[in-house]
Amino acid sequence: MQGNGSSTLNVAIIGAGPAGYYTAEALTTADECVHVDIIDRLPTPFGLIRAGVAPDHQSIKNVSRRYEATNCRSNVRFVGNLSLGRDITLAELGTLYDAVVLATGAAKDRPLGIEGEDLPGVIGSGPFVGWYNSHPDYKDLNPDLQVASVAVIGNGNVAVDVARVLAKTAEEMAGSDLASHAARPIHGSAIRDIHILGRRGPLEASFTPKELGELNILDNCVALVDPAQLPDESLDETLSGAAKKNMAILRAMAKNKPGDKPVRLHLMFYVRPMAVLGEERVCGLRLEKTRVEDGACVGTGETEVLPVGLVVPCIGYRTSPIADVPYNQRYGCFENEGGKIRDGLYCVGWAKRGPSGTIGTNKPDGSEVADRILAEIRPKGTKGRAGLEEIVAERGLHIVTFQDWKKIEAAEVAAASGPAPRQKFADVAEMVRLAES
Ligand code: NAP
């Protein structure tokens, strides 16, 4: 089926990350009469693959080739540099398309909810990871890394990513696409002690063995674990899967010595942050020792102060609310039932289920929502992309197409030095100029 005839189902997906692309793939492979526009406020596609996955985890980023293949289909179009709310409203999209899918991810940090968390020197993982990954919103973050000691709060893979990127040497990062504005301060930092703080124990941690294991093979940094915080070795036999592998790695770390390497990475369990201390900026964290009862973190009342000059909470994310879209405060995502928010409006990925799972988790998630759209929505003769183009022209907007993005990408690859795969641009105006050149 061609064009915008009455049998074309026009779908707008907001957000060009993994969830958006898997949904587009499922929709357009199932039915060629579906036309999908993947709209993103940035001029670059691939969302978290570009701005969330760690710069030294290039093999994970290879999945973008699959999204690129989706974008090469004639019934899929990337519309970059078009912002919902700023350039176009949800109501307008609702009249242009038969269905709108929110694949907007979870870009806001979950708050710690403790005194002092707004002090300079406390930087949530959203901005911090965005900064070292060249996200345009955070290119000017400029965190002060001339501090001796850092606290990274949380026991998930994001905490491990942040600690590892801070600890790796320039040589170890040579094959990465670490932002150049971040490489200089990170590799010239004064950091000597990095603390990863878990409010529960090693068995409750959500980091995965591959990521944890990478912390024990760093050139310049030794991972340290207090053996007294590990369960009795007799328990290891009863463990399986990730918990068993994590425990073996933690036991190996427990044998390391603080003097083994110049920088120390302390994995501290059973501590929860009670307050961020400091006047003008952070100078410490008050921690309460905890124990785990029936899987839950319980305070003991015993506190200690950890002197640190930088705090990076990596404690999960929340979806940014959108006007007139019901929001689930508890899970920090849109209120939905199996991906459906209301007639004609759907959500996928972290916007649907909250910030959990791997990139691959978004594939079945996207298929489920695509199946639902195909079963529930019939073409209504909407204008789809032709209508969007009219609005873009009327408003003088500078959208970026997939072909434009390929120009940006080629320039990034050309700007890379040594084994780096690309030198990412972080300035939207510069990228739009390149796209239009
Ligand atoms: P996560 O895995 O949910 O971990 C969040 C951590 O923060 C947990 O240890 C949690 O402790 C802790 N936490 C929450 N609230 C806290 C508080 N108020 N005080 C202290 N600690 C608190 O989330 P994430 O690390 O942000 O990762 C998000 C998702 O992306 C995960 O599914 C993750 O696997 C994925 N990811 C994967 C990779 C990879 O595969 N390489 C890399 C990065 C991210 P409790 O457990 O006690 O709640």
Side-chain angles (χ1 to χ4, degrees), residues 17 23 45 89 99 104 154 159 166 187 203 218 239 245 284 287 291 311 318-319 346 350 355 365 371-372 391 434:
T23 308
T89 65
T104 47
L166 283 176
H187 300 135
L203 292 175
L218 297 169
L239 298 177
K245 289 182 187 162
L287 303 172
R291 60 176 179 271
V311 176
R318 296 170 72 78
T319 293
Y346 298 81
W350 283 6
D365 206 61
D371 288 348
R372 213 173 160 157
I391 289 191
L434 249 170

Side-chain angles (χ1 to χ4, degrees), residues 48 52-54 57 60 110-114 125 153-161 164 197-200 204-208 210-211 214 271-273 295 297 314-317 350 355-359:
L48 270 194
V53 170
H57 278 178
I60 299 180
R110 185 186 281 168
L112 271 170
I114 60 173
S125 55
I153 303 175
N155 264 182
N157 278 334
V158 172
V160 171
D161 279 352
R164 189 185 66 256
L197 308 178
R199 63 178 170 181
R200 296 189 291 159
E204 289 78 28
S206 54
F207 44 60
T208 43
K210 179 185 165 292
E211 280 64 29
E214 288 178 64
V271 277
R272 69 177 174 198
C297 165
C314 304
I315 61 166
Y317 301 102
W350 283 6
S356 66
T358 62
I359 288 155

Side-chain angles (χ1 to χ4, degrees), residues 389-403:
E389 271 160 16
E390 283 170 19
I391 289 191
V392 164
E394 269 166 27
R395 296 180 188 170
L397 303 172
H398 296 263
I399 60 163
V400 170
T401 66
F402 203 75
Q403 289 69 34

Side-chain angles (χ1 to χ4, degrees), residues 8 81 119 145 264 290 350 413 421 424:
T8 300
N81 200 35
L119 274 172
L145 302 186
R264 294 164 295 274
T290 64
W350 283 6
V413 171
K424 284 191 270 185

Side-chain angles (χ1 to χ4, degrees), residues 336-353:
N336 71 92
E337 190 267 305
K340 181 171 180 175
I341 298 173
R342 60 177 176 249
D343 286 349
L345 185 64
Y346 298 81
C347 57
V348 281
W350 283 6
K352 167 181 174 245
R353 62 175 199 275

